[in-house]
């Protein structure tokens, strides 16, 4: 996915950094969300494409409200799982399950996109 850019070398750099059709790659880009968000406003078109795609993958993943809350509190605001649990009034283990479920759903979206790229087609 991702929009075309006039700086393909930046896209290649990020492709090596983020293997987005597996769980670790998705965790990696989520960990770097704020850094990439900042870079997109300094003219890094590849970072902008990554953020746009990430937000679309999250939207398509159809996360529950709790999964979305946990994901945002952890990756955007930097809270630890026990802090999220205290804030939401749930056990840390429940936070962990929501976080993992959200990450897996996002990974499935990227894996689907990757499969479509390999076969050269897109579904409507």
């Amino acid at each position: 996915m991702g929009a075309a850019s006039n700086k393909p070398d930046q896209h290649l750099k990020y492709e090596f950094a983020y293997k987005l059709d597996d769980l670790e790659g998705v965790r990696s880009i989520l960990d770097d969300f704020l850094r990439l968000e900042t870079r997109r406003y300094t003219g890094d078109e590849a970072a902008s494409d990554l953020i746009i795609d990430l937000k679309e993958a999250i939207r398509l993943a159809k996360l529950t409200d709790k999964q979305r809350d946990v994901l945002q509190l952890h990756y955007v605001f930097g809270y630890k799982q026990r802090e999220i649990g205290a804030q939401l009034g749930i056990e840390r283990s429940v936070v962990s399950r929501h976080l993992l479920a959200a990450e897996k759903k996002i990974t499935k979206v990227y894996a689907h996109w990757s499969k479509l790229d390999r076969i050269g087609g897109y579904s409507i």
Side-chain angles (χ1 to χ4, degrees), residues 25-67:
V26 168
R27 285 179 175 156
S28 180
I29 195 171
L30 287 166
D31 279 334
D32 287 346
F33 176 81
L34 291 177
R35 183 180 66 83
L36 290 168
E37 186 75 21
T38 300
R39 290 191 56 81
R40 75 187 285 204
Y41 294 108
T42 62
D44 187 337
E45 293 176 23
S48 185
D49 290 345
L50 284 171
I51 290 297
I52 290 167
D53 285 350
L54 177 59
K55 288 180 178 182
E56 180 66 1
I58 291 169
R59 186 187 71 78
L60 292 172
K62 297 183 179 166
L63 305 179
T64 66
D65 290 341
K66 197 69 81 178
Q67 290 168 348

Side-chain angles (χ1 to χ4, degrees), residues 1 20-22 26 56-57 60-61 104-124:
M1 299 301 320
L20 295 173
D21 56 356
D22 69 25
V26 168
E56 180 66 1
L60 292 172
K104 284 182 175 181
K105 286 180 176 182
I106 296 165
T107 301
K108 284 179 77 173
V109 172
Y110 276 110
H112 177 72
W113 287 345
S114 178
K115 180 181 174 185
L116 290 175
D117 283 344
R118 283 194 304 272
I119 62 173
Y122 295 93
S123 61
I124 296 176

